[in-house]
Amino acid sequence: MQPIAISGILPSASVADIRQTLESGGCSTTDRCGASAGPDDLPAAVWERIKDHPCYSEEAHHYFARMHVAVAPACNIQCNYCNRKYDCANESRPGVVSERLTPDQAVRKVVAVANEIPQLSVLGVAGPGDSLYDARKTFATFDLVAKAIPDIKFCVSTNGLALPDYVDELAQHNIDHVTITINMIDPTVGEQIYPWIYFRNRRWTGLDAAKILHERQMEGLEAVVAKGILVKINSVMIPGINDHHLMDVNAAVRARGAFLHNVMPLISDAAHGTAFGLSGQRGPTPQELKGLQDQLGGGANLMKHCRQCRADAVGLLGEDRGQEFTLDQLPDEVVYDPARRSAYRDVVEAERDDRRAAARAADQALATARDTLLIAITTKGGGRINQHFGHATEFQVYEVDRSGVRFVGHRRADNYCLGGHGDDDRLESVIAALEGIDAILTAKIGDCPRDRLEQAGLVVLEDWATDYIEPAAAAAYQRLREAPPLRRSA
Ligand code: CLF
Ligand code: SF4
């Protein structure tokens, strides 16, 4: 099939629609806000823009995939949580390195992925340095991909220093979603995070550097919002430095029209060679992160399902299939075939309506619930409990109470099963990762890991294998509360 001409992506929401969304607290209901919002909670034009974006819609992340192309290697600032050997830690786990691509190589890779992974809906540039420091490569990549795949969304992640200089170009290139990493609005906090920046042909340090960065971030945020582009703010939570301050950051970015705020935990390890890793600066515990998110819940549109992906990530947010699409595996020429993506979208449309109806019924069934349970599930996507315990490298966590079933985050762990046998050390690390969780719902689990999890105080249930998550979690709540303590499902 021949490449199709460039066209716009999805219908645009107006700035007024976005403002209306923000002014109403993020949504028209109190329970489903931010990334958890659904079509009933948002103006139709806003929903249309986020419904297939796995980062902007929690629901979409069960169905749609993103990919990043590592076309932006250089950076104009230094963050204390970054080691330049690795990807940009603003959107990436430190300790992994991406294969750098030219725009021509990138478009080959995007088309190969689109032909192979029908869930693909978004192409992002998120490093491995800053996407806008050498913006030519970023925009050249989007130009080439737009010619080859007309219905893919474009997304950019930046530290914001160069952002005010590229607002018009972002809009001209149909970049519909921009992420700015903003860790402070007070330069005295900023100077503890950023040792230097490079701006207007010179290096700035200390308070001056933090002031310039802050002013540029605010200017860029306001200008991008004024263009009608949806803006997400990423903040790295650094205990003792900006953890309390992030409440102020949240208020400031919200006042300027940011659509979502994503608070990510600092990942810090001396082995990564970062300033924070070497100084022993710790990251927050899952409980501390959730505590801050709960505090922010009343005043912001929050994203809680971020996976801190790498700059060459490919696939659903919880998975990374990048290694299947390295340059040496790509054909020299590849032509886009839209058939699989189109068929997939038709199936998903019906499936999402069905799941939403089931989730609403589940919420109603919980109206008399008296307390709160945290339930972890294993899933391969599709909003269903469809993964074996031993294969899970993360557990999605849902809070279940009288308000219904809500996604609250995920816990990472190495998969227990290593092709035919389980690893006891890994099982212990899974148990540690599941601290505070009341029950696990999974598609299948062996007797040995089940017994050990139960010894550790977790309830393990297989009864809802392949079912939708929300009704299964509601049914599990009712089972546990009607007949506690329940240990085995079969
Ligand atoms: Fe990539 Fe970022 Fe766009 Fe998503 S990721 S550029 S907004 S398409 Fe998403 Fe990954 Fe979290 Fe980023 S889960 S690290 S928020
Ligand atoms: Fe590293 Fe990204 Fe910070 Fe640049 S913006 S120093 S690449 S974490």
Side-chain angles (χ1 to χ4, degrees):
M1 174 156 189
Q2 289 303 307
I4 307 164
I6 303 178
S7 74
I9 26 183
L10 288 169
S12 282
S14 66
V15 178
D17 277 334
I18 299 167
R19 288 269 176 219
Q20 179 199 329
T21 305
L22 293 163
E23 281 160 13
S24 65
C27 1
S28 57
T29 68
T30 51
D31 312 351
R32 303 269 173 212
C33 286
S36 299
D40 300 335
D41 307 313
L42 298 168
V46 176
W47 172 246
E48 193 61 32
R49 291 171 74 187
I50 69 164
K51 73 184 175 74
D52 298 343
H53 195 307
C55 303
Y56 281 67
S57 161
E58 191 267 316
E59 184 187 283
H61 103 286
H62 294 283
Y63 302 104
F64 290 101
R66 52 69 185 109
M67 75 174 286
H68 293 162
V69 282
V71 294
C75 190
N76 46 1
I77 70 171
Q78 178 64 57
C79 305
N80 277 332
Y81 45 75
C82 177
N83 177 346
R84 295 305 175 83
K85 265 188 357 201
Y86 304 129
D87 290 349
C88 174
N90 284 332
E91 284 244 336
S92 181
R93 291 189 295 283
V96 288
V97 186
S98 301
E99 185 177 56
R100 274 70 164 151
L101 301 178
T102 65
D104 285 324
Q105 291 167 332
V107 71
R108 249 189 324 133
K109 179 169 174 173
V110 178
V111 172
V113 170
N115 286 347
E116 194 61 34
I117 301 181
Q119 295 96 330
L120 182 68
S121 62
V122 178
L123 170 67
V125 176
D130 186 70
S131 62
L132 296 179
Y133 181 39
D134 182 359
R136 287 166 309 163
K137 288 183 191 151
T138 298
F139 291 128
T141 301
F142 288 134
D143 280 343
L144 291 170
V145 173
K147 284 179 191 147
I149 307 176
D151 64 343
I152 196 164
K153 282 184 198 301
F154 293 144
C155 199
V156 149
S157 172
T158 175
N159 61 44
L161 183 60
L163 180 58
D165 301 333
Y166 290 105
V167 174
D168 288 340
E169 263 186 276
L170 287 165
Q172 283 157 13
H173 283 82
N174 272 339
I175 291 162
D176 207 25
H177 299 73
V178 168
T179 293
I180 315 170
T181 298
I182 299 181
N183 296 320
M184 55 87 197
I185 53 165
D186 176 351
T188 64
V189 176
E191 68 175 337
Q192 300 171 65
I193 302 171
Y194 306 103
W196 58 260
I197 66 168
Y198 190 74
F199 180 63
R200 301 284 187 249
N201 299 319
R202 65 166 277 207
R203 181 185 282 235
W204 303 75
T205 58
L207 206 54
D208 288 340
K211 268 187 192 156
I212 293 168
L213 181 61
H214 164 59
E215 284 163 11
R216 296 282 291 178
Q217 288 177 334
M218 294 299 124
E219 184 188 344
L221 167 58
E222 287 175 11
V224 173
V225 167
K227 285 278 179 199
I229 294 172
L230 291 181
V231 183
K232 172 168 70 62
I233 304 302
N234 280 359
S235 297
V236 181
M237 181 182 178
I238 311 165
I241 292 184
N242 73 348
D243 43 354
H244 300 298
H245 181 59
L246 288 179
M247 297 287 292
D248 298 333
V249 171
N250 179 271
V253 300
R254 185 174 153 72
R256 287 168 175 80
F259 183 74
L260 274 184
H261 191 190
N262 170 30
V263 179
M264 313 186 298
L266 171 73
I267 300 173
S268 183
D269 186 330
H272 299 150
T274 62
F276 280 153
L278 295 171
S279 71
Q281 170 65 51
R282 71 172 181 89
T285 63
Q287 290 76 13
E288 287 171 330
L289 179 64
K290 182 169 185 307
L292 176 61
Q293 288 173 334
D294 288 347
Q295 277 184 283
L296 294 173
N301 291 357
L302 285 189
M303 172 188 188
K304 298 179 182 173
H305 61 283
C306 176
R307 302 304 201 275
Q308 290 170 279
C309 344
R310 40 190 288 173
D312 61 357
V314 174
L316 295 172
L317 294 194
E319 67 181 8
D320 190 354
R321 298 179 58 182
Q323 291 314 307
E324 297 171 38
F325 300 95
T326 51
L327 273 182
D328 57 321
Q329 300 176 78
L330 297 180
D332 290 338
E333 272 190 52
V334 48
V335 177
Y336 175 52
D337 175 0
R340 287 185 72 200
R341 289 178 72 234
S342 168
Y344 177 77
R345 277 163 192 258
D346 290 345
V347 171
V348 161
E349 206 56 40
E351 178 88 356
R352 290 174 87 169
D353 288 345
D354 195 34
R355 176 171 165 230
R356 246 179 250 136
R360 272 196 297 273
D363 285 356
Q364 282 161 10
L366 288 164
T368 57
R370 282 201 288 268
D371 62 356
T372 302
L373 290 183
L374 280 182
I375 294 184
I377 60 107
T378 60
T379 180
K380 290 189 287 190
R384 294 176 181 271
I385 299 166
N386 53 7
Q387 187 178 43
H388 290 202
F389 171 82
H391 298 164
T393 53
E394 67 166 37
F395 295 82
Q396 294 196 3
V397 179
Y398 287 77
E399 200 166 54
V400 186
D401 60 22
R402 64 187 309 160
S403 309
V405 180
R406 290 176 308 282
F407 176 89
V408 290
H410 68 282
R411 307 276 180 93
R412 274 208 187 94
D414 287 334
N415 48 306
Y416 163 71
C417 181
L418 296 174
H421 69 281
D423 181 306
D424 289 341
D425 290 341
R426 288 184 171 207
L427 187 55
E428 293 310 311
S429 68
V430 170
I431 289 168
L434 292 176
E435 190 188 341
I437 301 294
D438 296 292
I440 300 174
L441 308 188
T442 187
K444 190 84 187 154
I445 185 169
D447 284 342
C448 289
R450 171 196 285 278
D451 288 345
R452 177 66 193 102
L453 289 164
E454 290 180 349
Q455 274 173 16
L458 287 148
V459 177
V460 183
L461 298 164
E462 294 170 84
D463 303 55
W464 295 280
T466 74
D467 285 4
Y468 291 131
I469 294 165
E470 289 82 0
Y477 177 97
Q478 281 159 341
R479 168 106 50 101
L480 292 171
R481 283 300 169 249
E482 279 163 19
L486 181 64
R487 286 302 189 208
R488 298 187 73 106
S489 60

